[in-house]
Structures are given as structure tokens and as C-alpha cells.
Amino acid sequence: MGKYIGKSVYRVEDDRFVTGKGKYTDDIVLPGMVYVAFVRSPYAHARILSIDTSQARAAEGVVGVFTGEDECGQYGVPCGWQVNFKNGETMREPKQPLLAVGKVRFVGEPVAVVVAESMAQARDAAELVQVDYEELPAVVDPKAAMEPGAPLVHDEFPDNAAFDWCLGNDRAEVEAALANAHHVTELRYRQNRLAPNAIEPRSYIADYNAVEDKWTLYTATQNPHLIRLLLCAFTLGIPEHKVHVVSYDVGGGFGSKIFHYREEALVTWLSKQVGRPVKWTADRSEAFLMDCHGRDHVVHARMGFDAEGKIVAVLADEYCNMGAYLSTFAPAIPTYLHGTLFQGLYTTPLIHVNVIAPFTHTTPVDALRGAGRPEATYLLERLIETGAREMGMDPVEIRKKNFIPPFDGVETPGYQTQVALQYDSGNYEGALNKLLSIVDYEEFRAQQEAARKEGRYLGIGFSTYIEACGIAPSAVVGALGARAGLYEVGHVRVQPTGKVSVYTGSHSHGQGHETTFAQIVADMLGISIDDVEVVHGDTEKVAFGMGTYGSRSLAVGGSAIVKSVEKILEKGARIAAHKLECAVEDLEYSEGKWTVKGTDRSVSFGEVALTAYVPHVYPQGEEPGLDFSSFYDPVNFTYPFGAHAAIVEVDVETGKVQILRYVAVDDVGNVINPMIVDGQVHGGVVHGIGQALLEEVVYDSDGQLLTGSYMDYTMPRADDVPFIETDRTTTPCPHNPLGVKGVGEAGTIASPAAIVNAVVDALWPLGVRDIQMPLTPLRVWQAIQKASNGGSQV
Amino acid sequence: MKLRGEGLVQAPVERVWQYLHDPAVLKEITPFVTRLDRVEGNTYTSESEVKVGPIRGTFRGKLRIEDIEPLKEFAVILEQGSTMGQSSVEMRIRLQEEEEGTRIEYEGDARMSGLLARMGQRLIGSTVKKVAGEFFTNLQHRLQEDWA
């Protein structure tokens, strides 16, 4: 360990963020720039009978008005992942046009676009576009979409299913095990649908330069190169080297800025049409309508136990909403990022998961922080705790009976699951034991007992989770239907003066790459962190990249940088050996200099850097320069895990849940910057509190979005959040050079189950067995009333 | 969304009925309405300027009166649209003569789309009550002015 790795180095990016100097896409104003406003469908499902743009075209300041008839992006927006039916049939993939043609399929779908000299003029003119619709019946619930006679989202797909997929052991075998089990716990629930709510709305500026026949696209995205690839090769069919994608600071994504959206392609297309730079920034209302939502599974889950509490089988049947079209990663979320996690931390011998993914007349659903893994964790952790209580066992003891024993992936091999993955390393009981020592579990149970006598209802809930991060080994995901490789690029350029520029293909939208990556490079080279600059988000500066999602930046992006630094040190050693007139093997490198072992003769990193660029005295046959790029393709996913506990008090008169304590013990492998890791856990847990207690996207039966503003969609606020206690265990990842696993999603994955388990624990004596998220006071109160009325509806 | 309410107007049912079928009067006494023109028979075109919380804009549409049972009951079907979305209202209006005057009951269903549904849903119930209240007051005044 050097000076920086493992230290809470202050984030270098925060100076500009907290002083309002961050550079976001919407801050950019280009000469001659025009603005667009979209005309969006007010209906969830309707036939477009006619569109009259004449008034809008005549309005003041209008540069152009375009509709789906204008052949913009005739190929449509592609989907990046193919998941097939279990019978082998190919996934059903509707065309997603840039502007609706013939029909609209969700509220907010873009129908026409107005380009004008000012934002206000564009919006005013958009109001003048007259669209005549014939409203058609809509379906919003994923299970209802599969009922016979349900309205069809795409006429060519007769039962609304995008796919019907399964994974794991033979279903009959799993069902037989459940039939013979000592006890079976069964839950039916809905994973509430969430909106992503990045603080910065999506924003795009496209600038077509006729002289070079080239576009610059400024975009708030999580993956600039991927957007360029999809935009050029699929949506617009333009040469990839003719588009320069720039993504400066991005104010949060949570998954919603991974995807390639229609607006992005449209502004690019429009810029050439009108010959001017074209800008669009979503307003909050458009963000609710168009930014892909997350979750929305209708679940039937069963877990069978033997008499000792050992899990004998897990069976899950889910309807997972795709929305009206397949977004970029949508098919992968409820399948390869969800079904593959049903082993959890347990030795379950038989697992089967079946996922039916219907189209509905709603906003497309795709990855949202955790993406498939919070849903898997929720299912397992609700089942195991419910099972324990039903059998009169302790929720901690039952977990300990089922944990996979510790393994490090080096001395002891990785753990092969029933659902396609091989875990890299883990010590699951270790994390839970640490958690218990912090919580003081025995003491809490005594307090709980005493409080109940006073009529106060306290509860504790646990969630022991695992996630698959560090996405991903390309060959593996390729075999699973990914249409891209998921390696990362790290380019390290040593300047002649010894300053270092690091170009990473991963992308920061708040994660602190500029600090973490600089810590690694500075330590490896033994130089000051001030001499390292991290550059990202520009396709002409960074050779290539796959971007940031799935907690992959450090494990994959960081490892690519490590590979390049290693190459620099190797070449630097050859230059140093030449200067010192010794053999490379005689040198050792530390604190920024190469020293001849056992002597005081040394040459500094700066001197070697200068020599590489001023190669007057130089090894024969060695190329000048000190500049290396590496592609790193991981050999496996990484598998962070941990144990979280929530302690709550429920006011049984009002149904209000208060979180008294939240304790998170995470094992994310080695830690580069503990402060950033804690920050990610805090943010993740708060996100999970939102899902557990507050947030839900609601459509009415006509497909109208009822939660389209912060009047109706409740985000967690400061007074909803307790002090979050964090701690860690460390089980290094055995297969990447940093031994790191990733932390961006851990809190979101673990926390909903912990909180709901805690509330059910508090209310178990009243007969409450399950409550649907979000646990609003109304729902909690209703659950209490229903239980006290002997199960009848209030 | 279900809508329901009532009001009492101190006038005989014949006069109330007459006023409720006179577009010029209706335009004058109904809040927000700026135009109401007969197209033919019982079909009208309407325009209103709405300003309720975040909901503001010009709504244009069609109004139809159906199922007329003179002096007793009729149905109003209103379909309006603006850039904030579409709304359609189907309302049954019942008149009943009582000692103090005429009781007017309304009962119906409103459907909304677009921004109107996202932002307006929670405002509609209270707004309709308020609008209906003003409508009955205005109707009363107008009847008093004309027949006092």
C-alpha cells in the first residue's frame, strides 16, 4: 500500500461541484443554437389519425416541424441484449421509431418535434401542432397484459410477451422438492415500479459541422462510446468516425442515462436537417414520462425448508414489465441480472425461476440502480425470514444454517451456483457476525420485548445479499445474448515533464473516478496525486470504452488502468536501466524512482519520462514515448456481499414507520477510498428506503401516469433517513489486479428487504405477514386492520 | 373520476330549465368558459381559459346534450383538449322542484389524459365543487336580475 490507496482522499471533483462550476450539458450554449420541444402522446394507446403542423410551422421563430413521416432514423432505436424464449424462439423485438408512426403506445411517446430559435418559441409552437387521435384500450399491468383478450401493444405479437424465459434446475424436480418439503413459505407481491429521478435531467446538444461533415453530440450519458456506436451503426446509419460524443459532468444516472434514447438520436438528425446546433433538455415532467422506469415485477415465490430449516428448493414465477418498447438493456435485467442471483448466499440445491416479460402501454422499463439484483435479494430475504418466523426459528440462525461456507477463490475454489454463475470469493457468515456485534442482537430482542409490553412495536429485519458486479466477462455475456463486449479501456499517457494523464472509458456521473483512479495511478507510480489527471467522457480523447453501470468502473475500468501503468513501469525500467548502466533485473522501483538494488544510485520517474520524449541517451531499438493503452476483459463477474439490518418502530395507530437504526456491513473486496465507498452505501441505502417506504410509479387503468410530479411521487427526504452506520469485512476479489468488487449498488440491493422484514417483525404479533411496498402509513395501517379483523378486507 | 354534487336555486323549474339550455347564459355564468356556440341542435363548440394551480391553458372542444327529458333530466357530454391533455366529462343533470325552488343534482364521470392527468387529478374534485358552487351562485343572481 502506498500513500493514497485505502485513504479517504478528498474528492478532487467536489471543488467544482460545490461551487457551482460543474460543466453540465445544459450549461453549454453554442452560437446559432436552436431549441426543440416535443409533442408527446397524451394517450397510452391511440391511433394517430392526422397531424396538422401548419399553424406550428407559421409560428414565430420556428425553424422546422417534423413528424414520424419525415423518415428520421428509419431504423429505430435498437435493443442491446437478446433473451430468447425457453423453447428457443427469438425474443420479440418491436421497432422503436424516433417519432411515433401510425400509433402511440405510451403516454409521453414523442409524436412530433418543433425546432425554434428559443426554447419558449419551440414550446409555444409545439402547442399549435394538432394531432387527431383515436383512443384505444390500454393495458398497464404485466400480468393483465398476458390475459387472453388483453389489448395488444404491438399487433404483430399476439400475446404481448417479449419472451418467456427460465433458468435453473428442472421445474418438475423443484416442484417435487417443494411438495415433499417440511414447510413451504409462499409470497405474492409486486416489486413496486420506480422512476430514476437523477437530479440533472437528460440533456443533449447536437452540432453538425458541414465543413467536416461531422457531428459533435454533447450528451448527459453514462456511456459515451456505447451511445456513439448505437447511434451511428443502428439508429441513424452514419459513419462512427463522423460523430464525436462529449459528456462532461453528469448529475446522476442510476441507470437511466445508460440507455440510448430517441431524443438523443433526433437532435443529432435534426442538426443536419436545419444546419444549426440543436439543444434539448428534459423538464422534470418529461423525465417522469421518458426516463426508463425500474422494477415492476409481479411475483409468486416459494421457498421449501426441511425440518431443520435448511432450504430445499426455491421457485419463482414472475411477470416483469418491459413497457411499450425494449429499451437498451431491458431484456437482461429480469433475466441475466436477476434470475442468476437466486442462489443468494445459501446452499439451496434446487432453484427454478421463470420470467414472462410482457409489453404494456407504459414507459419502457430498464436498469435502475441494482437492476434485477434488488428484486432477487428482496425475494430471497423476504422468503427466508418469513419462513423462519412461520417455523418459529430465529431469522439469524436460519441464515447461518444455510450459508455457503467461506471460500477465497484461491486456496478454495469459487462456488458454482444452480443458476449459471460461479461466485469468486466470500465469507458470508463473517459479514453477518460483524453486523450482529454492531447491532447487539440479544439486547435488541430484550428491548423489543419490553417495548411491546408498553404497546410500542419495534422490529428488526435483516438482509444478507450478494450481487454480481464488475460487468462483465465478454465471452460469458455474449453467450447470454449481450450484443456488446463488456471490457474496459484504460489509457495512461506520461507527459514529458512526468505529469500523467489517464483516459478511462468508464464514465463518472457522481462516483468520483477522478479521485479513485488518480489514487491508484499515483500510488503505483509513487508520485503525487496532484500530478495525475483523469479524463473521461469524450470519444475523441478516450480511445474506446463501455461506460459505467453495474458497479463496474473500478473492477473493470480500474483494472484496465492498472494494466497500462504496469506497461509504463516495464518500459520505464528499461529506460532507467540504460541510464544507470545496469540490467533491468538489478532495479527496484519505489517512491517514484528506480534504484540499483543495494546502492544509492537511482533515477527518478520524471527523469525517465523526459528521457522517453527527449531520447538522446536511449536504449537501442526502444521506441520513444511513455504512453500505453490497455483493454481489460474480466474473467468473471465480481460478487460483493454483505449483511444489513434495519431497526424500526411502527406507530400502530397511524401506520407510520420510523427507521431507528440502519447498519450496513458490506464486503466489496479491497477498498481504494473508504469515504467514497461509505458515500455509495449511504446513497444506495437511501435509494432503497425510497423503494421500501415511499416511491411508486402509478398508472391508472387507461395508462395515464398519475405520479408525474413530486406532488405525487415521493422521494426520500432528510427526515426519512436515519444515521446510517457502515462497516466492512474484506474478502478480496481473486481475479482482478486490485482485488476490488464494486459498491455502487450494494445499498439499494440490500435495504428494501431489511426494512420490510423489520416492519413485519414488529407487526408479526398482530398477525401481519406481508405488506406491499412502498410501506406507506396507509398500507401499514390497512395491513394492521386487516390482520386484527381476522384477515378480512378493511 | 366520479363527480357528484347539488345546489338549490330559488326559481321555478321552468325558468331554471330554460337558462340551463341557453348557451349565451351558460357562457356567462360558467367559470372559465369564454365561448359556447351552437353548431346544430344540441351540439356546441366550446372554449375555456382554465387557470387552476399548475393547470393553465386554453381548452377547446365539443359539448353535446343528450337524453333530454324536459324539465327533469338531461346528459351533458363534454370533450375538451389543450396542450395539457384531454378531458372528457359525462354528466347527468337532474332537476327537482321543491318548496324553496329547484334542486339541481349532477352526477358523472371525468376522464383525463396527459399532463392534466399527471398534475390535475388531485385538483379536479375540489375544483369541480368550487366551479359548481360559483355556477349555482351566478345562476341565482342572473335569475334574480332577470325576474326580480
Side-chain angles (χ1 to χ4, degrees), chain A residues 42-43 127 704-705 711-712, chain B residues 83 86 111 113-114 118 122:
Chain A
Y43 295 115
E127 297 193 1
Q704 292 297 331
L705 178 65
M711 289 198 297
D712 297 287
Chain B
T83 52
Q86 313 286 317
R111 291 175 68 227
S113 69
R118 293 196 294 289
R122 62 164 59 217

Side-chain angles (χ1 to χ4, degrees), chain A residues 41-43 107-108 126-128 130-131 133 135 285 288-289 700 702 704-709 711-712, chain B residues 54 56-58 60 82-88 111-123:
Chain A
S41 170
Y43 295 115
V107 173
E127 297 193 1
L128 300 174
Q130 301 289 328
V131 188
Y133 296 99
E135 195 183 357
S285 192
F288 273 110
L289 289 175
D700 73 9
D702 296 329
Q704 292 297 331
L705 178 65
L706 300 184
T707 48
S709 79
M711 289 198 297
D712 297 287
Chain B
R56 44 194 69 204
T58 307
R60 294 187 183 87
S82 83
T83 52
M84 302 211 74
Q86 313 286 317
S87 73
S88 67
R111 291 175 68 227
M112 281 156 288
S113 69
L115 195 59
L116 202 54
R118 293 196 294 289
M119 311 281 284
Q121 201 96 339
R122 62 164 59 217
L123 302 170

